[in-house]
């Protein structure tokens, strides 16, 4: 099981909106003490746009699916999905951080960890079964969550629409985009209500991005991170 981060939820939506406006208009510190100015000029494209195709230089990213095989050990072999923060969970060795590793680097790491206590000279192979780099992921309280190909320019509203829109349990005032910028996993939350009213610009979404709509159907691994993001916040590391 993946370890979940326990974060205290804000109890009133109006307090979330009020705090968010203070962050945007006055540049106040966020809950982690970082300064988050709201500036379209700092809205950077993800590193994924400059990543090579799937070759020896490819680095594992969140939401990738890995094919891991341990010779003669079927219980350890299988397909493993990388979670939002860049980990997988394997029998015997538990959580393994895989983000930004090549498949060969991960093979070496798994061989080492399995061989330290459990297996003698394990024979491990690692491959990329599915890459998140050529698609966007839309998750949370949407009608049809999943992976969607992206062939051209796309905005946040359009990305949510590809998943048939948000459902009746959604909180459209808190929708997050997760992406890798300057080698760091970063995130920002946006208010779809303000975007639809024209009070806020509709941000671009790039291939490899993960869009998460907050709500009762949002998975806990996303929800816990969402609660730390002020609405309208600029991208910031987490």
């Amino acid at each position: 099981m993946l370890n979940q981060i326990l974060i205290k939820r804000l109890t009133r939506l109006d307090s979330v909106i009020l705090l968010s406006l203070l962050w945007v208009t006055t540049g106040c510190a966020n809950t982690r003490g970082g300064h988050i100015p709201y500036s379209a000029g700092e809205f950077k494209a993800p590193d994924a746009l400059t990543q090579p195709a799937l070759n020896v230089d490819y680095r594992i990213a969140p939401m990738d699916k890995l094919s891991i095989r341990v010779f003669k050990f079927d219980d350890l072999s299988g397909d493993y999905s990388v979670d939002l923060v860049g980990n997988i969970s394997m029998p015997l060795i538990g959580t393994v951080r895989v983000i930004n590793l090549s498949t060969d680097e991960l093979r070496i790491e798994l061989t080492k960890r399995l061989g330290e206590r459990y297996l003698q000279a394990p024979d491990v192979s690692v491959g990329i079964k599915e890459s998140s780099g050529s698609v966007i992921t839309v998750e949370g309280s949407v009608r049809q969550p999943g992976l969607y190909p992206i062939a051209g320019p796309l905005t946040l509203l359009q990305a949510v629409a590809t998943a048939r829109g948000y459902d009746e349990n959604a909180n459209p005032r808190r929708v997050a985009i997760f992406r890798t910028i300057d080698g760091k996993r970063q995130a920002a939350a946006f208010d779809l209500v303000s975007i639809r009213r024209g009070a806020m610009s509709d941000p671009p979404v790039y291939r490899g991005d993960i869009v998460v709509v907050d709500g009762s159907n949002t998975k806990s691994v996303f929800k816990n991170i969402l609660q730390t993001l002020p609405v309208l916040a600029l991208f910031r590391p987490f």
Side-chain angles (χ1 to χ4, degrees), residues 52-179:
L54 292 183
N55 54 31
V56 293
D57 296 321
Y58 181 79
R59 298 287 164 173
I60 297 169
M63 308 307 291
D64 281 356
K65 182 174 287 187
L66 309 179
S67 176
I68 299 176
R69 298 289 180 266
V70 183
F71 185 59
K72 291 186 177 180
F73 291 90
D74 293 340
D75 290 344
L76 296 175
S77 301
D79 296 337
Y80 292 85
S81 295
V82 184
D83 67 20
L84 179 65
V85 293
N87 300 324
I88 62 171
S89 181
M90 285 190 68
L92 296 183
I93 58 177
T95 299
V96 182
R97 186 158 182 83
V98 301
I99 188 172
N100 289 331
L101 297 181
S102 68
T103 54
D104 193 54
E105 288 170 341
L106 178 56
R107 178 189 62 78
I108 293 171
E109 176 65 17
L110 294 179
T111 300
K112 175 184 175 183
R113 292 181 62 169
L114 287 169
E116 283 177 343
R117 296 180 57 186
Y118 304 104
L119 306 179
Q120 184 174 2
D123 184 357
V124 181
S125 64
V126 178
I128 305 292
K129 186 168 185 178
E130 295 178 7
S131 168
S132 64
S134 59
V135 299
I136 61 168
T137 302
V138 186
E139 265 285 359
S141 286
V142 291
R143 292 188 173 90
Q144 192 171 319
L147 302 175
Y148 294 92
I150 178 169
L154 195 71
T155 68
L156 181 57
L157 284 179
Q158 292 169 334
V160 173
T162 62
R164 297 179 58 194
Y166 51 80
D167 62 26
E168 63 278 4
N169 300 307
N171 173 13
R173 291 190 178 276
R174 185 175 292 276
V175 179
I177 303 175
F178 298 86
R179 72 173 54 139

Side-chain angles (χ1 to χ4, degrees), residues 44-48 51 62 84-85 97 99-100 178-187 235-238:
K44 299 176 67 174
D47 297 344
Q51 284 182 348
L84 179 65
V85 293
R97 186 158 182 83
I99 188 172
N100 289 331
F178 298 86
R179 72 173 54 139
T180 300
I181 302 174
D182 297 331
K184 298 178 181 178
R185 200 64 185 167
Q186 302 197 27
F235 279 80
R236 67 185 181 116
F238 69 90

